[in-house]
Coordinates of all heavy atoms in Angstrom, one line a residue:
M1097 N -60.4 -32.8 -85.2 CA -60.9 -34.0 -85.7 C -60.6 -35.1 -84.8 O -59.5 -35.3 -84.3 CB -60.3 -34.3 -87.1 CG -60.9 -35.4 -87.8 SD -60.5 -35.3 -89.5 CE -60.0 -37.0 -89.8
K1098 N -61.6 -35.9 -84.4 CA -61.5 -37.0 -83.5 C -60.9 -38.3 -84.2 O -61.2 -38.6 -85.2 CB -62.8 -37.3 -82.9 CG -62.8 -38.0 -81.6 CD -64.2 -38.1 -81.1 CE -64.2 -38.6 -79.7 NZ -65.6 -38.8 -79.2
K1099 N -59.9 -38.9 -83.4 CA -59.4 -40.2 -83.9 C -60.4 -41.3 -83.9 O -61.2 -41.4 -83.0 CB -58.3 -40.6 -83.0 CG -56.9 -40.1 -83.3 CD -56.0 -40.6 -82.2 CE -54.6 -40.9 -82.8 NZ -53.7 -41.4 -81.8
P1100 N -60.4 -42.2 -84.9 CA -61.3 -43.3 -84.9 C -60.9 -44.3 -83.7 O -59.7 -44.3 -83.4 CB -61.2 -43.9 -86.2 CG -59.8 -43.5 -86.8 CD -59.6 -42.1 -86.1
P1101 N -61.8 -44.9 -83.2 CA -61.5 -45.9 -82.1 C -60.6 -47.0 -82.7 O -60.8 -47.4 -83.8 CB -62.8 -46.4 -81.6 CG -63.8 -46.2 -82.7 CD -63.3 -45.0 -83.5
P1102 N -59.7 -47.5 -81.9 CA -58.9 -48.7 -82.4 C -59.7 -49.9 -82.6 O -60.8 -50.1 -82.0 CB -58.0 -48.9 -81.2 CG -58.6 -48.3 -80.0 CD -59.5 -47.2 -80.5
P1103 N -59.3 -50.7 -83.6 CA -60.0 -51.9 -83.9 C -60.1 -52.8 -82.6 O -59.2 -52.8 -81.8 CB -59.3 -52.6 -85.0 CG -58.0 -51.9 -85.0 CD -58.1 -50.6 -84.3
E1104 N -61.2 -53.6 -82.5 CA -61.3 -54.5 -81.4 C -60.1 -55.5 -81.5 O -59.6 -55.9 -82.5 CB -62.6 -55.3 -81.6 CG -63.8 -54.3 -81.3 CD -63.8 -53.8 -79.9 OE1 -63.6 -54.5 -78.9 OE2 -64.1 -52.6 -79.8
S1105 N -59.8 -56.0 -80.3 CA -58.8 -57.0 -80.1 C -59.3 -58.3 -80.9 O -60.3 -58.7 -80.9 CB -58.5 -57.3 -78.7 OG -57.5 -58.3 -78.5
L1106 N -58.2 -59.0 -81.5 CA -58.5 -60.2 -82.1 C -58.4 -61.4 -81.1 O -58.7 -62.5 -81.4 CB -57.4 -60.5 -83.2 CG -57.4 -59.4 -84.4 CD1 -56.2 -59.7 -85.3 CD2 -58.7 -59.5 -85.1
L1107 N -57.9 -61.1 -79.9 CA -57.6 -62.1 -78.9 C -58.7 -62.1 -77.8 O -59.2 -61.1 -77.4 CB -56.2 -61.8 -78.3 CG -55.1 -61.7 -79.2 CD1 -53.8 -61.4 -78.5 CD2 -55.0 -62.9 -80.2
N1108 N -58.9 -63.3 -77.2 CA -59.7 -63.3 -76.0 C -58.8 -63.1 -74.8 O -57.5 -63.0 -75.0 CB -60.5 -64.7 -75.9 CG -59.6 -65.9 -75.8 OD1 -58.5 -65.8 -75.2 ND2 -60.0 -67.0 -76.4
D1109 N -59.3 -63.1 -73.6 CA -58.5 -62.8 -72.5 C -57.4 -63.8 -72.3 O -56.2 -63.4 -71.9 CB -59.4 -62.8 -71.2 CG -60.4 -61.5 -71.2 OD1 -60.2 -60.6 -72.0 OD2 -61.2 -61.6 -70.3
D1110 N -57.6 -65.1 -72.4 CA -56.6 -66.1 -72.2 C -55.5 -65.9 -73.2 O -54.3 -66.0 -72.9 CB -57.2 -67.5 -72.3 CG -58.1 -67.8 -71.1 OD1 -57.9 -67.2 -70.1 OD2 -58.9 -68.7 -71.2
Q1111 N -55.8 -65.6 -74.5 CA -54.8 -65.5 -75.5 C -54.0 -64.2 -75.2 O -52.8 -64.1 -75.5 CB -55.5 -65.3 -76.9 CG -56.1 -66.7 -77.3 CD -57.1 -66.5 -78.4 OE1 -57.7 -65.5 -78.7 NE2 -57.4 -67.6 -79.2
F1112 N -54.7 -63.2 -74.7 CA -53.9 -61.9 -74.4 C -52.9 -62.1 -73.3 O -51.8 -61.7 -73.4 CB -55.0 -60.8 -74.1 CG -54.5 -59.4 -74.2 CD1 -54.1 -58.8 -75.3 CD2 -54.3 -58.6 -73.0 CE1 -53.7 -57.5 -75.4 CE2 -53.9 -57.3 -73.1 CZ -53.5 -56.8 -74.3
I1113 N -53.3 -62.9 -72.3 CA -52.5 -63.2 -71.2 C -51.3 -64.1 -71.7 O -50.1 -63.8 -71.3 CB -53.2 -63.9 -70.1 CG1 -54.2 -62.9 -69.4 CG2 -52.2 -64.6 -69.1 CD1 -55.2 -63.6 -68.5
T1114 N -51.6 -65.0 -72.6 CA -50.4 -65.8 -73.2 C -49.5 -64.9 -73.9 O -48.3 -65.1 -73.7 CB -51.1 -66.9 -74.1 OG1 -51.9 -67.8 -73.3 CG2 -50.0 -67.7 -74.8
L1115 N -50.0 -64.0 -74.7 CA -49.1 -63.0 -75.4 C -48.3 -62.3 -74.4 O -47.1 -62.2 -74.6 CB -49.9 -62.2 -76.3 CG -49.2 -61.0 -77.0 CD1 -48.1 -61.6 -77.9 CD2 -50.1 -60.2 -77.8
A1116 N -48.9 -61.8 -73.3 CA -48.1 -61.0 -72.3 C -47.0 -61.8 -71.8 O -45.9 -61.4 -71.6 CB -49.0 -60.5 -71.2
K1117 N -47.3 -63.1 -71.4 CA -46.3 -64.0 -70.9 C -45.1 -64.2 -71.8 O -44.0 -64.2 -71.5 CB -46.9 -65.3 -70.4 CG -47.8 -65.1 -69.2 CD -48.4 -66.5 -68.8 CE -49.3 -66.3 -67.6 NZ -50.0 -67.6 -67.3
I1118 N -45.5 -64.4 -73.0 CA -44.4 -64.7 -74.1 C -43.6 -63.4 -74.3 O -42.3 -63.4 -74.3 CB -45.0 -65.1 -75.4 CG1 -45.7 -66.5 -75.2 CG2 -44.0 -65.1 -76.5 CD1 -46.5 -66.9 -76.4
Y1119 N -44.3 -62.3 -74.4 CA -43.6 -60.9 -74.7 C -42.6 -60.6 -73.6 O -41.6 -60.1 -73.8 CB -44.7 -59.9 -74.9 CG -44.2 -58.6 -75.3 CD1 -43.7 -58.3 -76.6 CD2 -44.2 -57.5 -74.4 CE1 -43.2 -57.1 -77.0 CE2 -43.8 -56.2 -74.9 CZ -43.3 -56.1 -76.2 OH -42.8 -54.8 -76.5
R1120 N -43.0 -61.0 -72.4 CA -42.2 -60.7 -71.2 C -40.8 -61.4 -71.2 O -39.8 -60.9 -70.8 CB -43.0 -61.0 -70.0 CG -42.3 -60.6 -68.7 CD -43.1 -61.0 -67.5 NE -42.5 -60.5 -66.3 CZ -42.8 -60.9 -65.1 NH1 -43.8 -61.7 -64.9 NH2 -42.2 -60.4 -64.1
R1121 N -40.8 -62.5 -71.9 CA -39.6 -63.4 -72.1 C -38.5 -62.7 -73.0 O -37.4 -63.2 -73.0 CB -39.9 -64.7 -72.5 CG -40.6 -65.6 -71.5 CD -40.8 -67.0 -71.9 NE -41.9 -67.1 -72.8 CZ -42.8 -68.1 -72.8 NH1 -42.7 -69.0 -72.0 NH2 -43.7 -68.1 -73.7
Y1122 N -39.0 -61.7 -73.7 CA -38.1 -61.0 -74.7 C -37.8 -59.6 -74.4 O -38.3 -58.7 -75.0 CB -38.6 -61.2 -76.1 CG -38.7 -62.7 -76.5 CD1 -39.8 -63.5 -76.2 CD2 -37.6 -63.2 -77.1 CE1 -39.8 -64.8 -76.6 CE2 -37.6 -64.6 -77.5 CZ -38.7 -65.3 -77.2 OH -38.7 -66.7 -77.6
P1123 N -37.0 -59.3 -73.3 CA -36.8 -57.9 -72.9 C -36.2 -57.1 -74.0 O -36.2 -55.8 -74.0 CB -35.9 -58.0 -71.7 CG -35.3 -59.4 -71.7 CD -36.3 -60.2 -72.5
S1124 N -35.5 -57.7 -75.0 CA -34.9 -56.8 -76.1 C -36.0 -56.1 -76.8 O -35.7 -55.2 -77.6 CB -34.1 -57.7 -77.0 OG -34.9 -58.7 -77.7
L1125 N -37.3 -56.5 -76.7 CA -38.4 -55.8 -77.4 C -39.0 -54.6 -76.5 O -39.6 -53.7 -77.1 CB -39.6 -56.7 -77.6 CG -39.2 -57.8 -78.6 CD1 -40.4 -58.8 -78.7 CD2 -39.0 -57.2 -80.0
W1126 N -38.7 -54.6 -75.2 CA -39.3 -53.5 -74.4 C -38.4 -52.9 -73.4 O -38.8 -51.8 -72.8 CB -40.5 -54.2 -73.7 CG -40.3 -55.4 -73.0 CD1 -40.5 -56.7 -73.5 CD2 -39.8 -55.6 -71.6 NE1 -40.1 -57.6 -72.5 CE2 -39.8 -57.0 -71.4 CE3 -39.5 -54.7 -70.6 CZ2 -39.3 -57.5 -70.2 CZ3 -39.1 -55.2 -69.5 CH2 -39.1 -56.6 -69.2
D1127 N -37.3 -53.5 -73.0 CA -36.5 -53.0 -71.9 C -35.3 -52.1 -72.6 O -34.3 -52.8 -73.0 CB -35.9 -54.2 -71.1 CG -35.1 -53.7 -69.9 OD1 -34.9 -52.4 -69.7 OD2 -34.7 -54.5 -69.0
E1128 N -35.4 -50.9 -72.4 CA -34.3 -50.0 -72.9 C -33.0 -50.2 -72.2 O -31.9 -49.8 -72.8 CB -34.7 -48.5 -72.8 CG -35.9 -48.2 -73.7 CD -36.4 -46.8 -73.5 OE1 -35.6 -45.9 -72.9 OE2 -37.4 -46.4 -74.0
N1129 N -33.0 -50.8 -71.1 CA -31.7 -51.2 -70.4 C -31.0 -52.4 -70.8 O -29.9 -52.7 -70.5 CB -31.9 -51.1 -68.9 CG -32.3 -49.9 -68.3 OD1 -31.8 -48.8 -68.7 ND2 -33.4 -49.9 -67.4
D1130 N -31.8 -53.3 -71.6 CA -31.2 -54.5 -72.2 C -30.4 -54.1 -73.4 O -30.8 -53.4 -74.3 CB -32.4 -55.4 -72.6 CG -31.9 -56.8 -73.1 OD1 -30.9 -56.8 -73.8 OD2 -32.5 -57.8 -72.7
I1131 N -29.1 -54.5 -73.4 CA -28.2 -54.2 -74.5 C -28.8 -54.6 -75.9 O -28.6 -53.9 -76.9 CB -26.8 -54.7 -74.3 CG1 -25.8 -54.2 -75.3 CG2 -26.8 -56.3 -74.3 CD1 -25.5 -52.7 -75.0
A1132 N -29.5 -55.8 -75.9 CA -30.0 -56.2 -77.2 C -31.1 -55.3 -77.7 O -31.4 -55.3 -79.0 CB -30.5 -57.6 -77.0
Y1133 N -31.7 -54.4 -76.9 CA -32.7 -53.5 -77.3 C -32.2 -52.5 -78.4 O -32.8 -52.0 -79.2 CB -33.3 -52.7 -76.1 CG -34.3 -51.7 -76.4 CD1 -35.6 -52.0 -76.5 CD2 -34.0 -50.4 -76.6 CE1 -36.6 -51.1 -76.8 CE2 -34.9 -49.4 -76.8 CZ -36.3 -49.8 -76.9 OH -37.2 -48.8 -77.2
R1134 N -30.9 -52.3 -78.3 CA -30.2 -51.3 -79.2 C -30.0 -51.8 -80.6 O -29.5 -51.1 -81.5 CB -28.9 -50.8 -78.5 CG -29.2 -50.0 -77.3 CD -27.9 -49.6 -76.6 NE -28.1 -48.7 -75.5 CZ -28.6 -49.1 -74.3 NH1 -28.9 -50.3 -74.1 NH2 -28.7 -48.2 -73.3
F1135 N -30.1 -53.1 -80.8 CA -29.8 -53.7 -82.1 C -31.1 -54.2 -82.7 O -31.8 -55.1 -82.3 CB -28.9 -54.9 -81.9 CG -27.6 -54.5 -81.2 CD1 -27.4 -54.7 -79.9 CD2 -26.6 -54.0 -82.0 CE1 -26.2 -54.3 -79.2 CE2 -25.4 -53.5 -81.4 CZ -25.2 -53.7 -80.0
S1136 N -31.3 -53.6 -83.9 CA -32.6 -53.9 -84.7 C -32.7 -55.3 -85.0 O -33.8 -55.9 -85.1 CB -32.8 -53.0 -85.8 OG -31.7 -53.1 -86.7
N1137 N -31.6 -56.0 -85.4 CA -31.6 -57.4 -85.8 C -32.0 -58.3 -84.6 O -32.8 -59.2 -84.8 CB -30.3 -57.8 -86.4 CG -29.1 -57.7 -85.4 OD1 -29.0 -56.8 -84.6 ND2 -28.2 -58.7 -85.5
R1138 N -31.6 -57.9 -83.5 CA -32.0 -58.7 -82.2 C -33.5 -58.5 -81.9 O -34.2 -59.5 -81.6 CB -31.2 -58.3 -81.0 CG -29.7 -58.5 -81.2 CD -29.2 -60.0 -81.1 NE -29.5 -60.6 -79.7 CZ -28.8 -60.5 -78.7 NH1 -27.5 -59.9 -78.7 NH2 -29.1 -61.1 -77.6
R1139 N -33.9 -57.3 -82.1 CA -35.4 -57.0 -81.9 C -36.2 -57.8 -83.0 O -37.2 -58.4 -82.6 CB -35.7 -55.6 -81.9 CG -35.1 -54.8 -80.6 CD -35.7 -53.4 -80.6 NE -35.7 -52.6 -81.8 CZ -34.7 -51.9 -82.1 NH1 -33.6 -51.8 -81.4 NH2 -34.8 -51.2 -83.3
R1140 N -35.7 -57.8 -84.2 CA -36.5 -58.6 -85.2 C -36.5 -60.1 -84.9 O -37.5 -60.7 -85.1 CB -35.8 -58.4 -86.6 CG -36.3 -57.1 -87.3 CD -35.8 -57.1 -88.7 NE -34.4 -57.2 -89.0 CZ -33.5 -56.3 -89.0 NH1 -33.8 -55.1 -88.7 NH2 -32.2 -56.6 -89.2
E1141 N -35.3 -60.6 -84.5 CA -35.3 -62.0 -84.1 C -36.3 -62.3 -83.0 O -37.0 -63.3 -83.0 CB -33.9 -62.5 -83.7 CG -32.9 -62.4 -84.8 CD -31.4 -62.5 -84.3 OE1 -31.2 -62.7 -83.2 OE2 -30.5 -62.4 -85.2
A1142 N -36.3 -61.4 -82.0 CA -37.1 -61.6 -80.8 C -38.6 -61.6 -81.2 O -39.4 -62.3 -80.7 CB -36.8 -60.6 -79.8
A1143 N -39.0 -60.6 -82.1 CA -40.3 -60.4 -82.6 C -40.8 -61.7 -83.3 O -41.9 -62.2 -83.1 CB -40.4 -59.2 -83.5
K1144 N -39.8 -62.2 -84.1 CA -40.1 -63.5 -84.9 C -40.4 -64.7 -83.9 O -41.3 -65.4 -84.0 CB -39.0 -63.8 -85.8 CG -39.3 -65.0 -86.6 CD -38.2 -65.3 -87.7 CE -38.5 -66.5 -88.5 NZ -37.4 -66.8 -89.4
A1145 N -39.6 -64.7 -82.8 CA -39.7 -65.8 -81.8 C -41.0 -65.7 -81.1 O -41.8 -66.7 -80.8 CB -38.6 -65.7 -80.9
V1146 N -41.4 -64.4 -80.8 CA -42.7 -64.1 -80.1 C -43.8 -64.7 -81.0 O -44.8 -65.3 -80.6 CB -42.9 -62.7 -79.7 CG1 -44.3 -62.4 -79.4 CG2 -42.0 -62.3 -78.6
H1147 N -43.8 -64.3 -82.2 CA -44.8 -64.7 -83.2 C -44.9 -66.2 -83.3 O -46.0 -66.8 -83.2 CB -44.5 -64.1 -84.6 CG -45.6 -64.3 -85.6 ND1 -45.5 -65.2 -86.5 CD2 -46.8 -63.7 -85.7 CE1 -46.6 -65.1 -87.3 NE2 -47.4 -64.2 -86.8
E1148 N -43.8 -67.0 -83.4 CA -43.7 -68.4 -83.4 C -44.3 -69.0 -82.2 O -45.1 -70.0 -82.2 CB -42.3 -68.9 -83.8 CG -42.0 -68.6 -85.3 CD -40.5 -68.7 -85.6 OE1 -39.7 -69.2 -84.6 OE2 -40.1 -68.5 -86.7
E1149 N -43.9 -68.6 -81.1 CA -44.2 -69.1 -79.8 C -45.8 -68.9 -79.6 O -46.5 -69.8 -79.1 CB -43.5 -68.5 -78.6 CG -42.1 -69.0 -78.4 CD -41.4 -68.5 -77.3 OE1 -42.0 -68.4 -76.2 OE2 -40.2 -68.2 -77.4
F1150 N -46.2 -67.7 -80.0 CA -47.6 -67.4 -79.8 C -48.5 -68.4 -80.6 O -49.5 -68.9 -80.2 CB -48.0 -65.9 -80.1 CG -49.4 -65.6 -80.0 CD1 -49.9 -65.3 -78.7 CD2 -50.2 -65.5 -81.0 CE1 -51.2 -65.0 -78.5 CE2 -51.6 -65.2 -80.9 CZ -52.1 -65.0 -79.6
K1151 N -48.0 -68.6 -81.9 CA -48.8 -69.5 -82.8 C -48.7 -70.9 -82.2 O -49.7 -71.6 -82.2 CB -48.1 -69.5 -84.1 CG -48.7 -70.4 -85.1 CD -48.0 -70.3 -86.5 CE -48.6 -71.4 -87.4 NZ -47.9 -71.4 -88.7
S1152 N -47.6 -71.4 -81.7 CA -47.4 -72.7 -81.1 C -48.3 -72.9 -79.9 O -49.0 -73.9 -79.7 CB -46.0 -73.0 -80.7 OG -45.8 -74.1 -80.1
E1153 N -48.4 -71.8 -79.0 CA -49.1 -72.0 -77.8 C -50.6 -71.8 -77.9 O -51.4 -72.4 -77.1 CB -48.5 -71.1 -76.7 CG -47.2 -71.5 -76.2 CD -46.6 -70.7 -75.1 OE1 -47.5 -70.2 -74.2 OE2 -45.4 -70.5 -74.9
T1154 N -51.0 -71.0 -78.9 CA -52.4 -70.7 -79.0 C -53.1 -71.4 -80.2 O -54.3 -71.5 -80.3 CB -52.7 -69.2 -79.1 OG1 -52.1 -68.7 -80.3 CG2 -52.1 -68.5 -77.9
G1155 N -52.3 -71.8 -81.2 CA -52.9 -72.3 -82.4 C -53.4 -71.2 -83.3 O -53.9 -71.5 -84.5
L1156 N -53.2 -69.9 -83.0 CA -53.6 -68.8 -83.8 C -52.5 -68.4 -84.8 O -51.3 -68.3 -84.2 CB -54.0 -67.6 -83.0 CG -55.3 -67.7 -82.3 CD1 -55.5 -66.4 -81.4 CD2 -56.5 -67.9 -83.2
N1157 N -52.7 -68.2 -86.1 CA -51.7 -67.8 -87.0 C -52.0 -66.5 -87.4 O -52.5 -66.2 -88.5 CB -51.6 -68.8 -88.2 CG -50.4 -68.4 -89.0 OD1 -49.5 -67.8 -88.6 ND2 -50.4 -68.9 -90.3
L1158 N -51.8 -65.5 -86.5 CA -52.0 -64.0 -86.9 C -51.0 -63.6 -87.9 O -49.8 -63.9 -87.8 CB -51.9 -63.2 -85.6 CG -52.9 -63.5 -84.5 CD1 -52.7 -62.5 -83.3 CD2 -54.4 -63.4 -85.1
E1159 N -51.3 -62.7 -88.7 CA -50.4 -61.9 -89.6 C -49.4 -61.1 -88.7 O -49.8 -60.8 -87.5 CB -51.1 -61.0 -90.5 CG -52.0 -61.7 -91.5 CD -51.2 -62.5 -92.5 OE1 -50.1 -62.1 -92.9 OE2 -51.7 -63.6 -92.9
K1160 N -48.3 -60.8 -89.1 CA -47.3 -60.0 -88.4 C -47.8 -58.8 -88.0 O -47.7 -58.4 -86.8 CB -46.1 -59.8 -89.2 CG -44.9 -59.0 -88.6 CD -43.8 -58.7 -89.6 CE -42.8 -57.8 -88.9 NZ -41.9 -57.2 -89.8
Q1161 N -48.6 -58.0 -88.8 CA -49.2 -56.7 -88.4 C -50.2 -56.9 -87.4 O -50.4 -56.0 -86.5 CB -49.8 -56.1 -89.6 CG -48.7 -55.7 -90.7 CD -48.4 -56.9 -91.6 OE1 -48.9 -57.9 -91.5 NE2 -47.4 -56.7 -92.5
E1162 N -51.0 -58.0 -87.4 CA -52.1 -58.2 -86.4 C -51.4 -58.5 -85.1 O -51.9 -57.9 -84.1 CB -52.9 -59.4 -86.9 CG -53.7 -59.2 -88.1 CD -54.4 -60.4 -88.6 OE1 -53.8 -61.6 -88.5 OE2 -55.5 -60.4 -89.1
L1163 N -50.3 -59.3 -85.0 CA -49.7 -59.5 -83.7 C -49.1 -58.2 -83.3 O -49.2 -57.9 -82.1 CB -48.7 -60.6 -83.9 CG -48.1 -61.1 -82.6 CD1 -49.2 -61.6 -81.6 CD2 -47.0 -62.1 -82.8
E1164 N -48.5 -57.4 -84.1 CA -47.9 -56.1 -83.7 C -49.0 -55.2 -83.1 O -48.7 -54.5 -82.1 CB -47.2 -55.4 -84.9 CG -45.9 -56.2 -85.2 CD -45.3 -55.6 -86.5 OE1 -45.9 -54.7 -87.2 OE2 -44.1 -56.1 -86.8
R1165 N -50.1 -55.2 -83.7 CA -51.2 -54.4 -83.1 C -51.6 -54.9 -81.8 O -51.9 -54.0 -80.9 CB -52.4 -54.5 -84.1 CG -53.4 -53.4 -83.9 CD -54.5 -53.2 -85.0 NE -54.9 -54.5 -85.5 CZ -54.8 -54.7 -86.9 NH1 -54.2 -53.9 -87.7 NH2 -55.2 -55.9 -87.3
E1166 N -51.7 -56.2 -81.6 CA -52.0 -56.7 -80.2 C -50.9 -56.4 -79.2 O -51.2 -56.1 -78.1 CB -52.3 -58.2 -80.4 CG -53.4 -58.6 -81.2 CD -54.8 -58.0 -80.7 OE1 -55.0 -57.9 -79.5 OE2 -55.6 -57.8 -81.5
I1167 N -49.7 -56.4 -79.6 CA -48.5 -56.1 -78.7 C -48.7 -54.5 -78.3 O -48.5 -54.2 -77.2 CB -47.2 -56.4 -79.4 CG1 -47.0 -57.9 -79.4 CG2 -46.1 -55.7 -78.7 CD1 -45.8 -58.4 -80.2
L1168 N -49.0 -53.7 -79.3 CA -49.2 -52.3 -79.0 C -50.3 -52.1 -78.0 O -50.3 -51.3 -77.1 CB -49.6 -51.5 -80.3 CG -48.4 -51.2 -81.2 CD1 -48.8 -50.6 -82.5 CD2 -47.3 -50.3 -80.5
R1169 N -51.4 -52.9 -78.1 CA -52.5 -52.9 -77.2 C -52.0 -53.3 -75.8 O -52.4 -52.7 -74.8 CB -53.7 -53.8 -77.7 CG -54.9 -53.7 -77.0 CD -56.0 -54.7 -77.5 NE -56.1 -54.7 -78.9 CZ -56.7 -53.8 -79.7 NH1 -57.4 -52.8 -79.2 NH2 -56.8 -53.9 -81.0
L1170 N -51.2 -54.3 -75.8 CA -50.6 -54.8 -74.5 C -49.7 -53.7 -73.9 O -49.9 -53.5 -72.7 CB -49.8 -56.1 -74.8 CG -48.9 -56.7 -73.6 CD1 -49.9 -57.2 -72.5 CD2 -48.1 -57.7 -74.2
R1171 N -49.0 -53.1 -74.7 CA -48.0 -52.1 -74.1 C -48.8 -50.9 -73.5 O -48.5 -50.3 -72.5 CB -47.1 -51.6 -75.1 CG -46.0 -52.7 -75.5 CD -45.1 -52.2 -76.6 NE -44.3 -51.1 -76.2 CZ -43.0 -51.0 -76.0 NH1 -42.3 -52.1 -76.1 NH2 -42.4 -49.9 -75.6
K1172 N -49.9 -50.5 -74.3 CA -50.7 -49.4 -73.9 C -51.4 -49.8 -72.5 O -51.5 -48.9 -71.6 CB -51.8 -49.1 -74.9 CG -52.6 -47.9 -74.5 CD -53.4 -47.3 -75.6 CE -54.2 -46.2 -75.1 NZ -54.3 -45.1 -76.2
A1173 N -51.9 -50.9 -72.4 CA -52.6 -51.4 -71.1 C -51.6 -51.4 -70.0 O -52.0 -50.9 -68.9 CB -53.2 -52.8 -71.4
C1174 N -50.4 -51.8 -70.2 CA -49.4 -51.8 -69.2 C -49.0 -50.4 -68.8 O -48.8 -50.1 -67.6 CB -48.1 -52.6 -69.6 SG -48.4 -54.3 -69.8
S1175 N -49.0 -49.5 -69.7 CA -48.6 -48.1 -69.5 C -49.7 -47.4 -68.7 O -49.4 -46.7 -67.7 CB -48.4 -47.4 -70.8 OG -48.2 -46.0 -70.6
I1176 N -50.9 -47.7 -69.0 CA -52.1 -47.1 -68.3 C -52.0 -47.6 -66.8 O -52.2 -46.9 -65.8 CB -53.4 -47.5 -69.0 CG1 -53.5 -46.6 -70.2 CG2 -54.6 -47.1 -68.0 CD1 -54.6 -47.1 -71.2
E1177 N -51.9 -48.9 -66.6 CA -51.8 -49.5 -65.3 C -50.7 -48.9 -64.5 O -50.8 -48.6 -63.3 CB -51.7 -51.1 -65.4 CG -51.7 -51.8 -64.1 CD -51.7 -53.2 -64.2 OE1 -52.3 -53.8 -65.1 OE2 -51.0 -53.9 -63.4
K1178 N -49.5 -48.8 -65.1 CA -48.3 -48.2 -64.4 C -48.6 -46.7 -63.9 O -48.4 -46.4 -62.8 CB -47.1 -48.2 -65.3 CG -45.9 -47.7 -64.7 CD -44.7 -47.8 -65.6 CE -43.4 -47.3 -65.1 NZ -42.3 -47.4 -66.0
K1179 N -49.3 -45.9 -64.8 CA -49.7 -44.6 -64.5 C -50.6 -44.6 -63.3 O -50.5 -43.8 -62.4 CB -50.3 -43.9 -65.6 CG -49.2 -43.5 -66.7 CD -49.9 -42.8 -67.9 CE -48.9 -42.6 -69.0 NZ -49.6 -42.1 -70.2
E1180 N -51.6 -45.5 -63.3 CA -52.6 -45.6 -62.2 C -51.9 -46.0 -60.9 O -52.2 -45.3 -59.8 CB -53.7 -46.6 -62.6 CG -54.6 -46.1 -63.6 CD -55.6 -47.1 -64.1 OE1 -55.4 -48.3 -63.6 OE2 -56.4 -46.8 -64.9
K1181 N -50.9 -46.9 -60.9 CA -50.2 -47.2 -59.7 C -49.4 -46.0 -59.2 O -49.4 -45.8 -57.9 CB -49.3 -48.3 -60.0 CG -50.0 -49.7 -60.1 CD -49.0 -50.8 -60.3 CE -49.7 -52.2 -60.4 NZ -48.7 -53.2 -60.7
I1182 N -48.8 -45.2 -60.0 CA -48.0 -44.1 -59.6 C -48.9 -43.1 -58.9 O -48.6 -42.5 -57.9 CB -47.2 -43.5 -60.9 CG1 -46.1 -44.4 -61.2 CG2 -46.7 -42.1 -60.4 CD1 -45.4 -44.0 -62.5
L1183 N -50.1 -42.9 -59.6 CA -51.1 -41.9 -59.0 C -51.5 -42.4 -57.7 O -51.7 -41.6 -56.7 CB -52.2 -41.6 -60.0 CG -51.9 -40.9 -61.3 CD1 -53.1 -40.8 -62.2 CD2 -51.4 -39.4 -60.9
F1184 N -51.8 -43.7 -57.5 CA -52.3 -44.2 -56.3 C -51.2 -44.0 -55.2 O -51.5 -43.7 -54.0 CB -52.6 -45.7 -56.5 CG -53.0 -46.4 -55.2 CD1 -54.3 -46.2 -54.7 CD2 -52.2 -47.2 -54.5 CE1 -54.7 -46.8 -53.5 CE2 -52.5 -47.8 -53.3 CZ -53.8 -47.6 -52.8
L1185 N -49.9 -44.3 -55.5 CA -48.9 -44.2 -54.5 C -48.7 -42.7 -54.1 O -48.2 -42.5 -53.0 CB -47.5 -44.7 -55.1 CG -47.5 -46.2 -55.3 CD1 -46.3 -46.7 -56.0 CD2 -47.8 -47.0 -54.0
R1186 N -49.0 -41.7 -54.9 CA -48.8 -40.4 -54.6 C -49.9 -39.9 -53.6 O -49.7 -38.9 -52.9 CB -48.8 -39.5 -55.8 CG -47.6 -39.6 -56.7 CD -47.6 -38.7 -57.8 NE -46.4 -38.8 -58.7 CZ -46.3 -38.4 -59.8 NH1 -47.3 -37.7 -60.5 NH2 -45.2 -38.5 -60.6
N1187 N -51.0 -40.5 -53.7 CA -52.1 -40.1 -52.8 C -52.1 -40.7 -51.4 O -51.6 -41.4 -50.9 CB -53.5 -40.4 -53.5 CG -53.6 -39.6 -54.7 OD1 -53.1 -38.5 -54.7 ND2 -54.3 -40.0 -55.6

């Protein structure tokens, strides 16, 4: 059975870039080497800060789940790009 395609992004390119810049400032959400990554309360605080900063900078008031879905889309895009760079370097 084939997976349904993911829903379209709620963000335009500029908003997606803004989200990436904000997300990057909170390594406790993505960097396993950051000690804060190991503490769920620190990750929750960081996620809340990302949500608030994103709302402040873009004027968009996305639901928590909507923003989390956009962050997953961002992480997937970065993962694909990283794999492509590794393949390029091997050739």
Side-chain angles (χ1 to χ4, degrees):
M1097 189 161 133
K1098 201 172 188 184
K1099 273 180 141 177
E1104 292 296 316
S1105 177
L1106 301 172
L1107 308 179
N1108 64 32
D1109 290 346
D1110 289 338
Q1111 294 163 336
F1112 198 69
I1113 290 168
T1114 298
L1115 176 59
K1117 288 178 181 177
I1118 294 168
Y1119 188 70
R1120 186 175 184 197
R1121 291 186 280 224
Y1122 294 91
S1124 62
L1125 293 173
W1126 51 266
D1127 184 355
E1128 294 178 12
N1129 295 317
D1130 186 318
I1131 190 71
Y1133 179 85
R1134 292 173 175 78
F1135 300 100
S1136 60
N1137 63 324
R1138 297 287 296 276
R1139 289 193 312 274
R1140 276 193 306 275
E1141 290 168 5
K1144 184 177 179 183
V1146 168
H1147 189 254
E1148 291 169 0
E1149 285 185 39
F1150 182 78
K1151 180 181 175 183
S1152 173
E1153 289 188 32
T1154 65
L1156 289 176
N1157 188 17
L1158 298 180
E1159 295 292 325
K1160 180 182 173 193
Q1161 297 81 6
E1162 292 172 324
L1163 189 62
E1164 287 172 355
R1165 194 170 36 240
E1166 294 301 327
I1167 288 171
L1168 286 174
R1169 189 181 315 280
L1170 173 65
R1171 290 177 63 112
K1172 184 170 183 142
C1174 291
S1175 176
I1176 291 168
E1177 186 175 318
K1178 185 177 179 181
K1179 287 177 187 174
E1180 288 173 354
K1181 284 181 182 180
I1182 289 170
L1183 289 174
F1184 177 78
L1185 292 173
R1186 288 183 180 166
N1187 292 329

